[in-house]
Amino acid sequence: MRQYELVDRVRRYNPHTDEDLLNRAYVYAMRAHGQQKRASGDPYFTHPLEVAAILTELRLDDATIVAAVLHDTIEDTGATRAEIDHLFGPEIGSLVDGLTKLKKLDLVSKRAAQAENFRKLLLAISEDVRVLLVKLADRLHNMRTLHYVSPEKRARIAEETLDIYAPLAGRMGMQNLRDELENLSFKYLMPEAFAMVSTRLEDLRETNRELIKTIEKELTEELALRGIEAEVRGRQKQPYSVWSKMERKSLAFEQLSDIFGFRVVVGDTDECYRVIGVVHTKWPMVPGRFKDYISTPKQNDYRSIHTTVVGPGRQRVELQVRTRDMHDIACFGIAAHALYKDGHEAPAPTLSHESNAYSWLKRTIDMLAEGSSPEEFLEHTRLELFHDQVFCFTPKGRLIALPRGATPIDFAYAVHTNVGNSAVGAKINGRLAPLLAPLVNGDEVEIVRAEGQTPPAAWESIAVTGKARAAIRRATRDAVRAQYAGLGRQIVLRAFERAGKKFSEEKLRPALPRLARSSIEDVLAAVGRGEMFSGDVVKAVYPEFKEERKAPAPDRSDPGWFRMQKAQGVEFKSPGAAGAAVPIRGLQGDLPVSFAPNGAVPGDRIVGIMTPGEGITVYPIQSPALAAFDDQPERWLDVRWDVEDSQALFPARIIVAAINEPGSLGAVATLVGEQGANIDDVTFNKKSPDFREMILDIQVFDLKHLNDILSRLRVLPMVHSVERVIG
Ligand code: MN
């Protein structure tokens, strides 16, 4: 940028600018920086000029613009404070001095140093808020040209920007600046994520171009009909804010993109409320989304009314309604107080005593005066700046920022997925603590690990970060799959045995194409899940093999597949023949399935109850236990039996009251066995010397089979009564 361009830019909003002052600053800084070069190879002087240019966009006063031009001279050249005072006056001298002090800060290295720097920054701001404005513009230009510096330095600067400068800009209400700082940091810290989000936002914008125009038009016209002149604009979503929302709320991009944001700018406050009246009369409002930041401004002085309606074209439309002044403050924050308007001289930007931003700064500075240690100070200020975050540290001092409510589980996954997957315990500030303990600011967290762990599925609902949730879901899915494959292997082994063949992976491998699976593990998992019949695996390996379907006469020498699985701790207790692991339709995904404590058999009308982190439990519809879930309809799942041709056995519990005489159990057991059912377990209740109750957990084919057994038992002379128990 040339000398005259800078003057031009300022004159455009400030006809009374001191051109001579600007020109002298330009020449002075150019000479002072001389042959110095930036990392880009450009003359160093281009940097202070660009910083000044950014500040002209905020329409700032001459002193701020000049301070920007001079901001690096004392630190990087032979210039001195005395000389600048002498040439440009003490006001500018003090601004440049404040910036020089900040320039010396090499942030991030150590926690204490970071805290100390942050303290200095705030002190400098409190002396003159224009120091912050120049500092933020300085940081913005450095971020815009960050690709020229080394990758290591790049990451450090981007992190620091995201950590301190962007939130500070936000705290001062400078939303535009904050957005750009965040997006640039995001781009350098997570290039793939940035590209993904940006591309999708761009696509979305293309797709919806017409729709947005239509909504703009319809809203403007509707308001004009009621005599309200309003400027309606579709609002652009920022890549970083979309990303952090996805992270924070564990949402997919699609879930965030169904809302269209619009901004309605009107003349005065009164009209803001009239707009809301018109909008809510015309379109149904979405409950819970109405916020009045005009009557209660945000801490950074932001004012607007927010609402969401089901607008034109049944599209959800989010509206921000505000006046022009409110809009300026929403974009430029504290800098807006200094905006030149209509060519009239504006005061130098200060933090007005009425503003919330001012009182925040004041409180913070007071705390400094109370002499707390820099770390303590940082903790406090950060708490305020990042009120929805907690900052924790690894034993080596690495800072891990987490959303409020995060636990050591989130911490572990934030460090590394492997750390999360192998976490078995945590030490918080040196003491053993549960993995579910909520973390607080400043905690030092050490994760206790054990290899070969699988994170419990229940963690997924405990974790608050998207990263942890996704990783847990992945790990549990892998584990469930391995579990199914293990189960499938047993089923396949038995199927081969029954067919009188020998199972081997070498023989199975060439048969994979016939089974349309790409690996042996796939086949075994499919059998384990009940998606593939074990007999088909045998036939794929031995095409000549003919399966003889035996009459439903189960192999009673077999202790029962059901019991075998139980002994091995396999969760899905579905009993029965090979290939019918979970013979129920309507199940979701890979969720483990179990039966109600007292069983369920085909013929029973059934319902599934989902228990997060555990799976689905199948209950007979008349089960009294279901009452407990009456108020949670979302956990109910429609399921039905899928047992045609199956030889599976299903659990049921019966109570037999019988005369207490030798041989009564034997008679009952024999009868049950003769009917082709298994007895899984028997317990006794002694009712009286003469009577006793036998509680039998048996396995039957279906309801008819069960009822048949019950009738036959009732006929036995020593049996007094027989009932099925449903629980
Ligand atoms: Mn600089």
Side-chain angles (χ1 to χ4, degrees):
M1 188 167 58
R2 310 266 176 156
Q3 195 168 346
Y4 69 88
E5 283 176 281
L6 178 64
V7 175
D8 263 6
R9 272 170 174 260
V10 179
R11 203 167 38 208
R12 236 175 280 154
Y13 63 84
N14 176 12
H16 310 293
T17 179
D18 184 346
E19 290 182 28
D20 178 53
L21 180 72
L22 291 176
N23 284 327
R24 281 189 293 122
Y26 186 100
V27 172
Y28 180 86
M30 185 173 62
R31 288 211 184 121
H33 287 293
Q35 298 304 308
Q36 289 173 356
K37 295 266 191 284
R38 301 201 82 211
S40 60
D42 288 337
Y44 192 88
F45 181 53
T46 56
H47 165 66
L49 268 190
E50 289 301 329
V51 174
I54 290 169
L55 293 166
T56 63
E57 283 157 31
L58 297 172
R59 293 181 266 166
L60 288 170
D61 66 317
D62 286 351
T64 312
I65 304 295
V66 169
V69 174
L70 302 175
H71 82 270
D72 281 334
T73 53
I74 296 183
E75 177 68 11
D76 294 350
T77 78
T80 62
R81 164 82 195 267
E83 198 179 18
I84 289 174
D85 277 358
H86 174 68
L87 289 171
F88 302 99
E91 185 192 1
I92 290 171
S94 123
L95 286 173
V96 177
D97 191 49
L99 286 156
T100 306
K101 286 183 187 141
L102 295 182
K103 175 85 197 260
K104 287 189 180 137
L105 315 176
D106 188 1
L107 293 163
V108 170
S109 46
K110 281 205 202 92
R111 213 177 146 210
Q114 196 177 351
E116 180 57 22
N117 292 340
F118 192 49
R119 193 175 73 93
K120 283 184 184 156
L121 176 64
L122 289 175
L123 279 176
I125 304 168
S126 69
E127 275 171 32
D128 192 326
V129 72
R130 290 176 293 180
V131 171
L132 174 66
L133 301 183
V134 180
K135 185 68 198 169
L136 289 174
D138 179 36
R139 176 52 61 121
L140 179 58
H141 185 244
N142 286 334
M143 286 300 296
R144 283 178 181 171
T145 51
L146 199 61
H147 49 285
Y148 293 111
V149 309
S150 70
E152 194 216 14
K153 199 173 169 195
R154 213 183 283 169
R156 186 172 62 77
I157 292 177
E159 255 169 46
E160 184 187 88
T161 302
L162 208 51
D163 216 21
I164 290 185
Y165 289 97
L168 201 52
R171 200 64 191 69
M172 294 294 129
M174 306 170 78
Q175 192 55 42
N176 290 6
L177 215 134
R178 176 193 193 157
D179 284 342
E180 190 174 351
L181 287 173
E182 282 180 345
N183 290 335
L184 287 165
S185 307
F186 180 32
K187 179 171 124 187
Y188 287 112
L189 290 173
M190 287 177 272
E192 294 87 10
F194 175 81
M196 183 275 282
V197 175
S198 308
T199 311
R200 303 206 53 183
L201 283 174
E202 189 53 46
D203 292 350
L204 209 60
R205 197 146 48 230
E206 276 308 311
T207 321
N208 295 321
R209 192 179 292 278
E210 287 311 309
L211 181 58
I212 287 168
K213 265 196 205 150
T214 311
I215 297 176
E216 278 175 1
K217 188 161 168 283
E218 218 171 298
L219 261 172
T220 314
E221 286 172 0
E222 188 65 31
L223 292 172
L225 273 178
R226 320 293 174 99
I228 304 169
E229 196 184 315
E231 189 188 306
V232 181
R233 284 268 169 283
R235 197 158 49 86
Q236 201 115 321
K237 290 199 166 139
Q238 298 298 321
Y240 182 74
S241 85
V242 168
W243 172 256
S244 56
K245 212 178 244 178
M246 284 164 66
E247 287 264 277
R248 213 168 48 238
K249 304 191 173 170
S250 302
L251 296 172
F253 185 88
E254 282 71 19
Q255 293 168 284
L256 284 174
S257 53
D258 67 331
I259 299 183
F260 288 74
F262 287 84
R263 185 166 289 151
V264 182
V265 178
V266 293
D268 56 34
T269 307
D270 196 42
E271 281 184 325
C272 293
Y273 289 100
R274 287 179 57 211
V275 169
I276 293 296
V278 171
V279 166
H280 283 180
T281 311
K282 172 95 177 159
W283 294 288
M285 122 188 207
V286 178
R289 314 240 338 161
F290 179 80
K291 289 190 191 92
D292 184 350
Y293 294 117
I294 290 181
S295 69
T296 316
K298 280 195 191 179
Q299 280 201 316
N300 59 9
D301 299 327
Y302 174 90
R303 299 167 77 200
S304 277
I305 302 176
H306 293 187
T307 190
T308 305
V309 295
V310 182
R314 309 273 325 138
Q315 189 63 52
R316 282 214 290 166
V317 175
E318 191 181 71
L319 294 171
Q320 297 176 341
V321 185
R322 52 174 76 148
T323 66
R324 169 61 51 195
D325 280 353
M326 292 173 194
H327 182 60
D328 284 341
I329 290 181
C331 298
F332 304 119
I334 49 166
H337 299 296
L339 290 178
Y340 282 78
K341 282 176 186 132
D342 313 322
H344 291 299
E345 185 112 18
T350 51
L351 286 169
S352 131
H353 286 249
E354 301 92 71
S355 82
N356 284 316
Y358 174 82
S359 49
W360 172 74
L361 199 60
K362 179 82 175 50
R363 252 186 296 130
T364 310
I365 305 294
D366 286 349
M367 216 168 64
L368 270 182
E370 281 162 20
S372 50
S373 74
E375 287 93 338
E376 219 178 306
F377 170 74
L378 180 69
E379 224 44 81
H380 276 280
T381 356
R382 281 197 140 149
L383 204 67
E384 297 245 316
L385 263 181
F386 309 91
H387 52 90
D388 53 352
Q389 282 189 293
V390 288
F391 293 88
C392 301
F393 296 87
T394 66
K396 284 182 182 159
R398 188 177 147 206
L399 175 77
I400 305 282
L402 295 164
R404 207 152 273 288
T407 65
I409 296 172
D410 296 289
F411 183 93
Y413 280 100
V415 172
H416 196 280
T417 304
N418 291 342
V419 175
N421 283 341
S422 58
V424 290
K427 279 185 185 169
I428 301 179
N429 303 320
R431 291 179 156 206
L432 276 173
L435 280 168
L436 309 180
L439 295 172
V440 300
N441 261 328
D443 277 346
E444 185 188 288
V445 185
E446 186 186 343
I447 298 297
V448 183
R449 303 171 61 184
E451 290 309 326
Q453 291 291 311
T454 306
W459 281 8
E460 196 189 323
S461 51
I462 292 161
V464 300
T465 51
K467 186 181 179 197
R469 285 187 185 188
I472 294 162
R473 199 174 313 148
R474 214 161 36 239
T476 29
R477 199 171 46 219
D478 289 351
V480 167
R481 188 187 141 83
Q483 204 181 32
Y484 276 121
L487 172 60
R489 177 176 295 271
Q490 293 171 21
I491 296 168
V492 167
L493 281 175
R494 290 187 61 219
F496 274 77
E497 227 170 78
R498 275 196 329 210
K501 308 282 185 188
K502 189 135 180 62
F503 172 77
S504 79
E505 295 199 359
E506 291 69 45
K507 282 181 196 148
L508 178 52
R509 193 160 289 118
L512 287 175
R514 247 168 288 156
L515 293 162
R517 303 281 161 157
S518 53
S519 73
I520 288 169
E521 165 122 1
D522 272 351
V523 170
L524 299 179
V527 173
R529 264 196 298 269
E531 290 168 6
M532 189 183 286
F533 185 56
S534 59
D536 292 339
V537 181
V538 181
K539 269 184 259 174
V541 179
Y542 298 101
E544 74 288 351
F545 171 70
K546 286 253 182 347
E547 190 198 8
E548 32 181 306
R549 288 234 167 185
K550 289 184 216 144
D555 179 4
R556 252 179 287 142
S557 64
D558 189 328
W561 179 85
F562 180 32
R563 198 186 295 172
M564 177 174 75
Q565 293 310 320
K566 211 152 107 177
Q568 289 168 353
V570 175
E571 277 183 50
F572 24 83
K573 294 180 186 159
S574 165
V582 186
I584 289 171
R585 287 198 182 160
L587 296 177
Q588 294 189 336
D590 284 348
L591 288 175
V593 175
S594 57
F595 287 100
N598 296 336
V601 302
D604 283 337
R605 282 184 56 217
I606 48 172
V607 66
I609 295 291
M610 290 186 281
T611 304
E614 283 184 35
I616 296 165
T617 310
V618 175
Y619 288 87
I621 200 82
Q622 69 270 41
S623 165
L626 287 172
F629 309 108
D630 268 353
D631 55 348
Q632 293 161 281
E634 71 283 356
R635 292 179 60 186
W636 293 62
L637 188 69
D638 272 338
V639 291
R640 58 191 174 84
W641 296 102
D642 182 19
V643 285
E644 264 177 80
D645 258 6
S646 156
Q647 299 170 34
L649 288 164
F650 297 86
R653 172 170 289 188
I654 58 176
I655 292 187
V656 182
I659 297 167
N660 194 4
E661 63 175 39
S664 61
L665 170 64
V668 169
T670 306
L671 189 145
V672 170
E674 277 170 2
Q675 296 307 310
N678 280 349
I679 297 179
D680 206 43
D681 206 355
V682 185
T683 48
F684 296 98
N685 270 341
K686 210 170 185 166
K687 280 284 179 188
S688 73
D690 297 330
F691 265 97
R692 65 176 170 184
E693 263 178 13
M694 291 176 242
I695 299 161
L696 283 89
D697 287 323
I698 62 174
Q699 294 178 43
V700 296
F701 296 109
D702 54 24
L703 190 58
K704 188 178 165 297
H705 188 201
L706 176 62
N707 287 334
D708 200 34
I709 292 170
L710 295 183
S711 311
R712 285 171 195 260
L713 283 171
R714 286 186 186 114
V715 175
L716 288 178
M718 71 290 279
V719 167
H720 175 260
S721 69
V722 184
E723 296 302 333
R724 178 181 178 196
V725 186
I726 289 176

